[in-house]
PDB file of all heavy atoms in Angstrom:
ATOM      1  N   LYS D  27     -72.588 -51.331  42.106  1.00 96.00           N
ATOM      2  CA  LYS D  27     -73.128 -50.095  41.720  1.00 96.00           C
ATOM      3  C   LYS D  27     -74.597 -49.864  42.155  1.00 96.00           C
ATOM      4  O   LYS D  27     -75.047 -48.866  42.729  1.00 96.00           O
ATOM      5  CB  LYS D  27     -73.065 -49.739  40.187  1.00 96.00           C
ATOM      6  CG  LYS D  27     -73.424 -48.473  39.811  1.00 96.00           C
ATOM      7  CD  LYS D  27     -73.503 -48.167  38.351  1.00 96.00           C
ATOM      8  CE  LYS D  27     -74.091 -46.790  38.110  1.00 96.00           C
ATOM      9  NZ  LYS D  27     -74.412 -46.501  36.763  1.00 96.00           N
ATOM     10  N   ALA D  30     -74.737 -49.174  45.750  1.00 97.00           N
ATOM     11  CA  ALA D  30     -74.412 -47.741  46.002  1.00 97.00           C
ATOM     12  C   ALA D  30     -75.486 -46.780  45.662  1.00 97.00           C
ATOM     13  O   ALA D  30     -75.772 -45.955  46.423  1.00 97.00           O
ATOM     14  CB  ALA D  30     -73.103 -47.501  45.249  1.00 97.00           C
ATOM     15  N   GLU D  31     -76.135 -47.028  44.511  1.00 97.00           N
ATOM     16  CA  GLU D  31     -77.169 -46.175  44.147  1.00 97.00           C
ATOM     17  C   GLU D  31     -78.379 -46.298  45.144  1.00 97.00           C
ATOM     18  O   GLU D  31     -79.035 -45.159  45.437  1.00 97.00           O
ATOM     19  CB  GLU D  31     -77.769 -46.553  42.775  1.00 97.00           C
ATOM     20  CG  GLU D  31     -76.890 -46.085  41.535  1.00 97.00           C
ATOM     21  CD  GLU D  31     -77.200 -44.597  41.183  1.00 97.00           C
ATOM     22  OE1 GLU D  31     -77.915 -43.915  41.907  1.00 97.00           O
ATOM     23  OE2 GLU D  31     -76.714 -44.275  40.119  1.00 97.00           O
ATOM     24  N   LEU D  34     -77.460 -44.306  48.126  1.00 96.00           N
ATOM     25  CA  LEU D  34     -77.494 -42.902  47.807  1.00 96.00           C
ATOM     26  C   LEU D  34     -78.946 -42.395  47.843  1.00 96.00           C
ATOM     27  O   LEU D  34     -79.220 -41.425  48.413  1.00 96.00           O
ATOM     28  CB  LEU D  34     -76.850 -42.476  46.436  1.00 96.00           C
ATOM     29  CG  LEU D  34     -77.030 -41.102  45.977  1.00 96.00           C
ATOM     30  CD1 LEU D  34     -76.354 -40.054  47.011  1.00 96.00           C
ATOM     31  CD2 LEU D  34     -76.283 -40.869  44.614  1.00 96.00           C
ATOM     32  N   GLU D  39     -74.143 -41.400  52.470  1.00 96.00           N
ATOM     33  CA  GLU D  39     -72.819 -41.145  51.829  1.00 96.00           C
ATOM     34  C   GLU D  39     -72.493 -42.543  51.227  1.00 96.00           C
ATOM     35  O   GLU D  39     -72.560 -43.523  52.071  1.00 96.00           O
ATOM     36  CB  GLU D  39     -71.714 -40.740  52.736  1.00 96.00           C
ATOM     37  CG  GLU D  39     -71.938 -39.322  53.308  1.00 96.00           C
ATOM     38  CD  GLU D  39     -71.714 -38.143  52.279  1.00 96.00           C
ATOM     39  OE1 GLU D  39     -70.992 -38.529  51.303  1.00 96.00           O
ATOM     40  OE2 GLU D  39     -72.234 -37.137  52.440  1.00 96.00           O
ATOM     41  N   VAL D  40     -72.004 -42.559  50.056  1.00 97.00           N
ATOM     42  CA  VAL D  40     -71.631 -43.975  49.452  1.00 97.00           C
ATOM     43  C   VAL D  40     -70.343 -43.822  48.790  1.00 97.00           C
ATOM     44  O   VAL D  40     -69.881 -42.706  48.287  1.00 97.00           O
ATOM     45  CB  VAL D  40     -72.762 -44.473  48.597  1.00 97.00           C
ATOM     46  CG1 VAL D  40     -74.073 -44.447  49.267  1.00 97.00           C
ATOM     47  CG2 VAL D  40     -72.784 -43.699  47.318  1.00 97.00           C
ATOM     48  N   SER D  41     -69.641 -44.942  48.707  1.00 97.00           N
ATOM     49  CA  SER D  41     -68.504 -45.030  47.778  1.00 97.00           C
ATOM     50  C   SER D  41     -68.387 -46.402  47.215  1.00 97.00           C
ATOM     51  O   SER D  41     -68.865 -47.284  47.781  1.00 97.00           O
ATOM     52  CB  SER D  41     -67.256 -44.634  48.469  1.00 97.00           C
ATOM     53  OG  SER D  41     -66.733 -45.682  49.221  1.00 97.00           O
ATOM     54  N   TRP D  42     -67.938 -46.469  45.991  1.00 97.00           N
ATOM     55  CA  TRP D  42     -67.870 -47.708  45.327  1.00 97.00           C
ATOM     56  C   TRP D  42     -66.436 -47.738  44.592  1.00 97.00           C
ATOM     57  O   TRP D  42     -66.140 -46.681  43.850  1.00 97.00           O
ATOM     58  CB  TRP D  42     -69.033 -47.634  44.288  1.00 97.00           C
ATOM     59  CG  TRP D  42     -68.954 -48.832  43.279  1.00 97.00           C
ATOM     60  CD1 TRP D  42     -69.712 -50.015  43.194  1.00 97.00           C
ATOM     61  CD2 TRP D  42     -68.219 -48.833  41.932  1.00 97.00           C
ATOM     62  NE1 TRP D  42     -69.522 -50.721  42.062  1.00 97.00           N
ATOM     63  CE2 TRP D  42     -68.568 -49.967  41.248  1.00 97.00           C
ATOM     64  CE3 TRP D  42     -67.333 -48.114  41.361  1.00 97.00           C
ATOM     65  CZ2 TRP D  42     -68.075 -50.401  40.039  1.00 97.00           C
ATOM     66  CZ3 TRP D  42     -66.883 -48.345  40.109  1.00 97.00           C
ATOM     67  CH2 TRP D  42     -67.208 -49.584  39.434  1.00 97.00           C
ATOM     68  N   ILE D  43     -65.764 -48.737  44.719  1.00 95.00           N
ATOM     69  CA  ILE D  43     -64.486 -48.666  44.038  1.00 95.00           C
ATOM     70  C   ILE D  43     -64.062 -50.079  43.545  1.00 95.00           C
ATOM     71  O   ILE D  43     -64.250 -51.174  44.311  1.00 95.00           O
ATOM     72  CB  ILE D  43     -63.315 -48.235  45.196  1.00 95.00           C
ATOM     73  CG1 ILE D  43     -62.135 -47.629  44.577  1.00 95.00           C
ATOM     74  CG2 ILE D  43     -63.079 -49.313  46.186  1.00 95.00           C
ATOM     75  CD1 ILE D  43     -61.276 -46.802  45.466  1.00 95.00           C
ATOM     76  N   PRO D  44     -63.733 -50.080  42.273  1.00 90.00           N
ATOM     77  CA  PRO D  44     -63.492 -51.428  41.645  1.00 90.00           C
ATOM     78  C   PRO D  44     -62.059 -51.861  41.525  1.00 90.00           C
ATOM     79  O   PRO D  44     -61.206 -50.939  41.817  1.00 90.00           O
ATOM     80  CB  PRO D  44     -64.025 -51.165  40.166  1.00 90.00           C
ATOM     81  CG  PRO D  44     -63.515 -49.780  39.946  1.00 90.00           C
ATOM     82  CD  PRO D  44     -63.689 -49.009  41.282  1.00 90.00           C
ATOM     83  N   TYR D  46     -59.813 -54.623  39.114  1.00 65.00           N
ATOM     84  CA  TYR D  46     -59.791 -55.779  38.132  1.00 65.00           C
ATOM     85  C   TYR D  46     -58.525 -55.790  37.296  1.00 65.00           C
ATOM     86  O   TYR D  46     -57.782 -55.057  37.281  1.00 65.00           O
ATOM     87  CB  TYR D  46     -61.113 -55.702  37.258  1.00 65.00           C
ATOM     88  CG  TYR D  46     -61.290 -54.361  36.675  1.00 65.00           C
ATOM     89  CD1 TYR D  46     -60.551 -53.853  35.636  1.00 65.00           C
ATOM     90  CD2 TYR D  46     -62.244 -53.558  37.197  1.00 65.00           C
ATOM     91  CE1 TYR D  46     -60.828 -52.573  35.266  1.00 65.00           C
ATOM     92  CE2 TYR D  46     -62.606 -52.245  36.778  1.00 65.00           C
ATOM     93  CZ  TYR D  46     -61.904 -51.776  35.713  1.00 65.00           C
ATOM     94  OH  TYR D  46     -62.104 -50.534  35.219  1.00 65.00           O
ATOM     95  N   GLU D  65     -69.189 -38.629  56.334  1.00 91.00           N
ATOM     96  CA  GLU D  65     -68.187 -38.515  55.375  1.00 91.00           C
ATOM     97  C   GLU D  65     -67.346 -39.697  55.393  1.00 91.00           C
ATOM     98  O   GLU D  65     -66.931 -40.168  56.354  1.00 91.00           O
ATOM     99  CB  GLU D  65     -67.330 -37.241  55.666  1.00 91.00           C
ATOM    100  CG  GLU D  65     -66.365 -37.025  54.461  1.00 91.00           C
ATOM    101  CD  GLU D  65     -65.383 -35.855  54.869  1.00 91.00           C
ATOM    102  OE1 GLU D  65     -65.561 -35.045  55.763  1.00 91.00           O
ATOM    103  OE2 GLU D  65     -64.308 -35.799  54.050  1.00 91.00           O
ATOM    104  N   ILE D  66     -67.122 -40.405  54.110  1.00 95.00           N
ATOM    105  CA  ILE D  66     -66.367 -41.496  54.011  1.00 95.00           C
ATOM    106  C   ILE D  66     -64.861 -41.116  53.957  1.00 95.00           C
ATOM    107  O   ILE D  66     -64.521 -40.321  53.017  1.00 95.00           O
ATOM    108  CB  ILE D  66     -66.808 -42.320  52.811  1.00 95.00           C
ATOM    109  CG1 ILE D  66     -68.232 -42.865  53.158  1.00 95.00           C
ATOM    110  CG2 ILE D  66     -65.908 -43.632  52.659  1.00 95.00           C
ATOM    111  CD1 ILE D  66     -68.931 -43.406  51.917  1.00 95.00           C
ATOM    112  N   GLY D  67     -64.079 -41.642  54.796  1.00 92.00           N
ATOM    113  CA  GLY D  67     -62.677 -41.377  54.761  1.00 92.00           C
ATOM    114  C   GLY D  67     -62.122 -42.361  53.686  1.00 92.00           C
ATOM    115  O   GLY D  67     -62.301 -42.136  52.479  1.00 92.00           O
ATOM    116  N   SER D  68     -61.415 -43.357  54.088  1.00 91.00           N
ATOM    117  CA  SER D  68     -60.855 -44.353  53.262  1.00 91.00           C
ATOM    118  C   SER D  68     -61.842 -45.141  52.528  1.00 91.00           C
ATOM    119  O   SER D  68     -62.798 -45.755  53.230  1.00 91.00           O
ATOM    120  CB  SER D  68     -60.010 -45.371  54.100  1.00 91.00           C
ATOM    121  OG  SER D  68     -59.642 -46.312  53.207  1.00 91.00           O
ATOM    122  N   PRO D  69     -61.979 -45.182  51.113  1.00 93.00           N
ATOM    123  CA  PRO D  69     -62.793 -46.013  50.407  1.00 93.00           C
ATOM    124  C   PRO D  69     -62.364 -47.461  50.381  1.00 93.00           C
ATOM    125  O   PRO D  69     -62.972 -48.255  49.922  1.00 93.00           O
ATOM    126  CB  PRO D  69     -62.852 -45.289  49.078  1.00 93.00           C
ATOM    127  CG  PRO D  69     -61.477 -44.737  48.966  1.00 93.00           C
ATOM    128  CD  PRO D  69     -60.994 -44.272  50.245  1.00 93.00           C
ATOM    129  N   VAL D  70     -61.135 -47.548  50.925  1.00 85.00           N
ATOM    130  CA  VAL D  70     -60.625 -49.038  50.977  1.00 85.00           C
ATOM    131  C   VAL D  70     -60.828 -49.603  52.274  1.00 85.00           C
ATOM    132  O   VAL D  70     -60.763 -48.963  53.236  1.00 85.00           O
ATOM    133  CB  VAL D  70     -58.990 -48.939  50.784  1.00 85.00           C
ATOM    134  CG1 VAL D  70     -58.414 -50.219  50.382  1.00 85.00           C
ATOM    135  CG2 VAL D  70     -58.669 -47.683  49.681  1.00 85.00           C
ATOM    136  N   GLU D  72     -60.255 -52.902  54.988  1.00 89.00           N
ATOM    137  CA  GLU D  72     -59.458 -54.014  55.313  1.00 89.00           C
ATOM    138  C   GLU D  72     -60.358 -55.297  55.641  1.00 89.00           C
ATOM    139  O   GLU D  72     -60.073 -56.309  55.071  1.00 89.00           O
ATOM    140  CB  GLU D  72     -58.569 -53.682  56.349  1.00 89.00           C
ATOM    141  CG  GLU D  72     -57.249 -54.472  56.593  1.00 89.00           C
ATOM    142  CD  GLU D  72     -56.189 -53.954  57.558  1.00 89.00           C
ATOM    143  OE1 GLU D  72     -56.601 -52.785  58.033  1.00 89.00           O
ATOM    144  OE2 GLU D  72     -55.279 -54.480  57.679  1.00 89.00           O
TER     145      GLU D  72
ATOM    146  N   LEU E   6     -74.481 -40.162  41.345  1.00 97.00           N
ATOM    147  CA  LEU E   6     -73.518 -41.043  41.553  1.00 97.00           C
ATOM    148  C   LEU E   6     -72.588 -41.268  40.298  1.00 97.00           C
ATOM    149  O   LEU E   6     -73.205 -41.642  39.148  1.00 97.00           O
ATOM    150  CB  LEU E   6     -74.045 -42.459  41.891  1.00 97.00           C
ATOM    151  CG  LEU E   6     -73.124 -43.536  42.385  1.00 97.00           C
ATOM    152  CD1 LEU E   6     -72.516 -43.195  43.742  1.00 97.00           C
ATOM    153  CD2 LEU E   6     -73.903 -44.998  42.477  1.00 97.00           C
ATOM    154  N   LYS E   8     -68.501 -41.862  38.382  1.00 97.00           N
ATOM    155  CA  LYS E   8     -67.113 -42.141  38.502  1.00 97.00           C
ATOM    156  C   LYS E   8     -66.274 -41.002  38.492  1.00 97.00           C
ATOM    157  O   LYS E   8     -66.724 -40.037  37.924  1.00 97.00           O
ATOM    158  CB  LYS E   8     -66.609 -43.081  37.419  1.00 97.00           C
ATOM    159  CG  LYS E   8     -67.103 -44.551  37.453  1.00 97.00           C
ATOM    160  CD  LYS E   8     -66.282 -45.414  36.476  1.00 97.00           C
ATOM    161  CE  LYS E   8     -66.576 -46.847  36.740  1.00 97.00           C
ATOM    162  NZ  LYS E   8     -65.710 -47.755  36.124  1.00 97.00           N
ATOM    163  N   GLU E  35     -62.781 -44.113  31.151  1.00 97.00           N
ATOM    164  CA  GLU E  35     -64.040 -43.643  31.161  1.00 97.00           C
ATOM    165  C   GLU E  35     -64.198 -42.117  30.811  1.00 97.00           C
ATOM    166  O   GLU E  35     -65.323 -41.675  30.399  1.00 97.00           O
ATOM    167  CB  GLU E  35     -64.620 -43.851  32.554  1.00 97.00           C
ATOM    168  CG  GLU E  35     -64.676 -45.367  33.108  1.00 97.00           C
ATOM    169  CD  GLU E  35     -63.277 -45.835  33.544  1.00 97.00           C
ATOM    170  OE1 GLU E  35     -62.380 -45.078  33.527  1.00 97.00           O
ATOM    171  OE2 GLU E  35     -63.288 -46.982  33.926  1.00 97.00           O
ATOM    172  N   ILE E 115     -52.142 -51.134  36.545  1.00 94.00           N
ATOM    173  CA  ILE E 115     -53.177 -50.107  36.380  1.00 94.00           C
ATOM    174  C   ILE E 115     -53.720 -49.774  37.765  1.00 94.00           C
ATOM    175  O   ILE E 115     -54.765 -49.188  37.884  1.00 94.00           O
ATOM    176  CB  ILE E 115     -54.279 -50.537  35.418  1.00 94.00           C
ATOM    177  CG1 ILE E 115     -54.871 -51.964  35.982  1.00 94.00           C
ATOM    178  CG2 ILE E 115     -53.712 -50.748  34.137  1.00 94.00           C
ATOM    179  CD1 ILE E 115     -56.016 -52.406  35.092  1.00 94.00           C
ATOM    180  N   TYR E 172     -57.611 -44.938  41.732  1.00 95.00           N
ATOM    181  CA  TYR E 172     -58.731 -45.096  42.573  1.00 95.00           C
ATOM    182  C   TYR E 172     -59.741 -44.003  42.350  1.00 95.00           C
ATOM    183  O   TYR E 172     -60.913 -44.103  42.087  1.00 95.00           O
ATOM    184  CB  TYR E 172     -58.389 -45.089  44.128  1.00 95.00           C
ATOM    185  CG  TYR E 172     -58.214 -46.595  44.594  1.00 95.00           C
ATOM    186  CD1 TYR E 172     -57.699 -46.756  45.829  1.00 95.00           C
ATOM    187  CD2 TYR E 172     -58.537 -47.615  43.894  1.00 95.00           C
ATOM    188  CE1 TYR E 172     -57.432 -48.068  46.284  1.00 95.00           C
ATOM    189  CE2 TYR E 172     -58.486 -48.963  44.343  1.00 95.00           C
ATOM    190  CZ  TYR E 172     -57.912 -49.132  45.482  1.00 95.00           C
ATOM    191  OH  TYR E 172     -57.720 -50.440  46.164  1.00 95.00           O
ATOM    192  N   GLN E 175     -61.610 -44.165  38.991  1.00 95.00           N
ATOM    193  CA  GLN E 175     -62.562 -45.366  38.886  1.00 95.00           C
ATOM    194  C   GLN E 175     -63.662 -45.473  39.996  1.00 95.00           C
ATOM    195  O   GLN E 175     -64.637 -46.150  39.735  1.00 95.00           O
ATOM    196  CB  GLN E 175     -61.761 -46.760  38.979  1.00 95.00           C
ATOM    197  CG  GLN E 175     -60.596 -46.710  38.023  1.00 95.00           C
ATOM    198  CD  GLN E 175     -61.004 -47.430  36.736  1.00 95.00           C
ATOM    199  OE1 GLN E 175     -61.627 -48.392  36.718  1.00 95.00           O
ATOM    200  NE2 GLN E 175     -60.574 -46.753  35.643  1.00 95.00           N
ATOM    201  N   MET E 176     -63.451 -44.701  41.035  1.00 96.00           N
ATOM    202  CA  MET E 176     -64.393 -44.925  42.054  1.00 96.00           C
ATOM    203  C   MET E 176     -65.715 -44.086  41.812  1.00 96.00           C
ATOM    204  O   MET E 176     -65.725 -43.051  41.041  1.00 96.00           O
ATOM    205  CB  MET E 176     -63.867 -44.591  43.463  1.00 96.00           C
ATOM    206  CG  MET E 176     -63.606 -43.215  43.825  1.00 96.00           C
ATOM    207  SD  MET E 176     -62.761 -42.969  45.380  1.00 96.00           S
ATOM    208  CE  MET E 176     -64.181 -43.289  46.485  1.00 96.00           C
ATOM    209  N   MET E 177     -66.812 -44.548  42.374  1.00 97.00           N
ATOM    210  CA  MET E 177     -68.068 -43.812  42.293  1.00 97.00           C
ATOM    211  C   MET E 177     -68.353 -43.129  43.538  1.00 97.00           C
ATOM    212  O   MET E 177     -68.200 -43.778  44.695  1.00 97.00           O
ATOM    213  CB  MET E 177     -69.278 -44.640  41.836  1.00 97.00           C
ATOM    214  CG  MET E 177     -69.064 -44.934  40.334  1.00 97.00           C
ATOM    215  SD  MET E 177     -70.675 -45.540  39.666  1.00 97.00           S
ATOM    216  CE  MET E 177     -70.599 -47.315  40.066  1.00 97.00           C
ATOM    217  N   GLU E 178     -68.751 -41.953  43.586  1.00 98.00           N
ATOM    218  CA  GLU E 178     -69.262 -41.291  44.762  1.00 98.00           C
ATOM    219  C   GLU E 178     -70.340 -40.313  44.300  1.00 98.00           C
ATOM    220  O   GLU E 178     -70.366 -39.908  43.206  1.00 98.00           O
ATOM    221  CB  GLU E 178     -68.186 -40.474  45.485  1.00 98.00           C
ATOM    222  CG  GLU E 178     -67.282 -41.283  46.165  1.00 98.00           C
ATOM    223  CD  GLU E 178     -66.226 -40.499  47.057  1.00 98.00           C
ATOM    224  OE1 GLU E 178     -65.771 -39.494  46.512  1.00 98.00           O
ATOM    225  OE2 GLU E 178     -66.043 -40.957  48.292  1.00 98.00           O
ATOM    226  N   PRO E 179     -71.236 -39.838  45.260  1.00 97.00           N
ATOM    227  CA  PRO E 179     -72.168 -38.807  44.823  1.00 97.00           C
ATOM    228  C   PRO E 179     -71.466 -37.504  44.559  1.00 97.00           C
ATOM    229  O   PRO E 179     -70.573 -37.175  45.257  1.00 97.00           O
ATOM    230  CB  PRO E 179     -73.046 -38.745  46.109  1.00 97.00           C
ATOM    231  CG  PRO E 179     -72.740 -39.931  46.797  1.00 97.00           C
ATOM    232  CD  PRO E 179     -71.237 -40.296  46.566  1.00 97.00           C
ATOM    233  N   ILE E 256     -55.934 -39.587  47.181  1.00 97.00           N
ATOM    234  CA  ILE E 256     -56.811 -40.709  47.761  1.00 97.00           C
ATOM    235  C   ILE E 256     -56.159 -41.096  49.133  1.00 97.00           C
ATOM    236  O   ILE E 256     -56.747 -41.532  50.143  1.00 97.00           O
ATOM    237  CB  ILE E 256     -56.704 -41.977  46.841  1.00 97.00           C
ATOM    238  CG1 ILE E 256     -57.686 -43.063  47.430  1.00 97.00           C
ATOM    239  CG2 ILE E 256     -55.447 -42.580  46.639  1.00 97.00           C
ATOM    240  CD1 ILE E 256     -59.170 -42.699  47.264  1.00 97.00           C
ATOM    241  N   ARG E 259     -57.375 -39.317  52.268  1.00 97.00           N
ATOM    242  CA  ARG E 259     -58.602 -39.941  52.874  1.00 97.00           C
ATOM    243  C   ARG E 259     -58.306 -41.017  53.755  1.00 97.00           C
ATOM    244  O   ARG E 259     -58.955 -41.149  54.825  1.00 97.00           O
ATOM    245  CB  ARG E 259     -59.467 -40.309  51.700  1.00 97.00           C
ATOM    246  CG  ARG E 259     -59.774 -39.312  50.711  1.00 97.00           C
ATOM    247  CD  ARG E 259     -61.185 -39.095  50.385  1.00 97.00           C
ATOM    248  NE  ARG E 259     -62.174 -40.042  50.568  1.00 97.00           N
ATOM    249  CZ  ARG E 259     -63.163 -40.236  49.653  1.00 97.00           C
ATOM    250  NH1 ARG E 259     -63.173 -39.537  48.541  1.00 97.00           N
ATOM    251  NH2 ARG E 259     -64.150 -41.071  49.891  1.00 97.00           N
ATOM    252  N   ILE E 260     -57.480 -41.870  53.289  1.00 97.00           N
ATOM    253  CA  ILE E 260     -57.028 -42.910  54.175  1.00 97.00           C
ATOM    254  C   ILE E 260     -56.432 -42.408  55.498  1.00 97.00           C
ATOM    255  O   ILE E 260     -56.729 -42.912  56.578  1.00 97.00           O
ATOM    256  CB  ILE E 260     -56.138 -43.825  53.443  1.00 97.00           C
ATOM    257  CG1 ILE E 260     -56.737 -44.573  52.336  1.00 97.00           C
ATOM    258  CG2 ILE E 260     -55.382 -44.916  54.446  1.00 97.00           C
ATOM    259  CD1 ILE E 260     -55.994 -45.104  51.224  1.00 97.00           C
ATOM    260  N   LYS E 262     -57.083 -39.615  56.872  1.00 96.00           N
ATOM    261  CA  LYS E 262     -58.145 -38.908  57.735  1.00 96.00           C
ATOM    262  C   LYS E 262     -58.819 -40.045  58.551  1.00 96.00           C
ATOM    263  O   LYS E 262     -58.926 -39.926  59.780  1.00 96.00           O
ATOM    264  CB  LYS E 262     -59.160 -38.337  56.776  1.00 96.00           C
ATOM    265  CG  LYS E 262     -59.361 -36.767  57.036  1.00 96.00           C
ATOM    266  CD  LYS E 262     -60.474 -36.330  56.172  1.00 96.00           C
ATOM    267  CE  LYS E 262     -60.249 -34.838  55.860  1.00 96.00           C
ATOM    268  NZ  LYS E 262     -61.163 -34.340  55.001  1.00 96.00           N
ATOM    269  N   THR E 263     -59.065 -41.199  58.028  1.00 95.00           N
ATOM    270  CA  THR E 263     -59.646 -42.238  58.798  1.00 95.00           C
ATOM    271  C   THR E 263     -58.570 -42.601  59.868  1.00 95.00           C
ATOM    272  O   THR E 263     -58.984 -42.918  60.953  1.00 95.00           O
ATOM    273  CB  THR E 263     -60.019 -43.512  57.940  1.00 95.00           C
ATOM    274  OG1 THR E 263     -60.893 -42.978  56.969  1.00 95.00           O
ATOM    275  CG2 THR E 263     -60.626 -44.562  58.678  1.00 95.00           C
ATOM    276  N   THR E 339     -54.075 -49.425  54.304  1.00 94.00           N
ATOM    277  CA  THR E 339     -55.386 -49.237  54.995  1.00 94.00           C
ATOM    278  C   THR E 339     -54.937 -48.194  56.000  1.00 94.00           C
ATOM    279  O   THR E 339     -53.963 -48.023  56.395  1.00 94.00           O
ATOM    280  CB  THR E 339     -55.731 -50.523  55.547  1.00 94.00           C
ATOM    281  OG1 THR E 339     -54.865 -51.012  56.604  1.00 94.00           O
ATOM    282  CG2 THR E 339     -56.093 -51.749  54.578  1.00 94.00           C
ATOM    283  N   PRO E 340     -56.171 -47.627  56.575  1.00 95.00           N
ATOM    284  CA  PRO E 340     -56.043 -46.626  57.627  1.00 95.00           C
ATOM    285  C   PRO E 340     -55.156 -47.312  58.696  1.00 95.00           C
ATOM    286  O   PRO E 340     -54.276 -46.489  59.353  1.00 95.00           O
ATOM    287  CB  PRO E 340     -57.428 -46.379  58.092  1.00 95.00           C
ATOM    288  CG  PRO E 340     -58.219 -46.647  56.773  1.00 95.00           C
ATOM    289  CD  PRO E 340     -57.506 -47.736  56.216  1.00 95.00           C
ATOM    290  N   ASN E 341     -55.473 -48.505  59.111  1.00 95.00           N
ATOM    291  CA  ASN E 341     -54.872 -49.131  60.203  1.00 95.00           C
ATOM    292  C   ASN E 341     -53.307 -49.305  60.087  1.00 95.00           C
ATOM    293  O   ASN E 341     -52.547 -48.983  60.978  1.00 95.00           O
ATOM    294  CB  ASN E 341     -55.475 -50.534  60.461  1.00 95.00           C
ATOM    295  CG  ASN E 341     -54.962 -51.274  61.621  1.00 95.00           C
ATOM    296  OD1 ASN E 341     -54.755 -50.539  62.654  1.00 95.00           O
ATOM    297  ND2 ASN E 341     -54.910 -52.570  61.678  1.00 95.00           N
TER     298      ASN E 341
END
Side-chain angles (χ1 to χ4, degrees):
Chain D
K27 188 183 170 193
E31 281 279 13
L34 174 60
E39 294 290 333
V40 305
S41 75
W42 171 99
I43 202 161
Y46 41 77
E65 189 191 340
I66 296 171
S68 170
V70 193
E72 202 166 359
Chain E
L6 191 65
K8 285 197 171 191
E35 295 82 2
I115 57 175
Y172 266 169
Q175 306 266 314
M176 76 188 279
M177 285 200 272
E178 285 187 317
I256 191 72
R259 303 230 339 217
I260 295 163
K262 241 186 211 178
T263 303
T339 60
N341 188 29

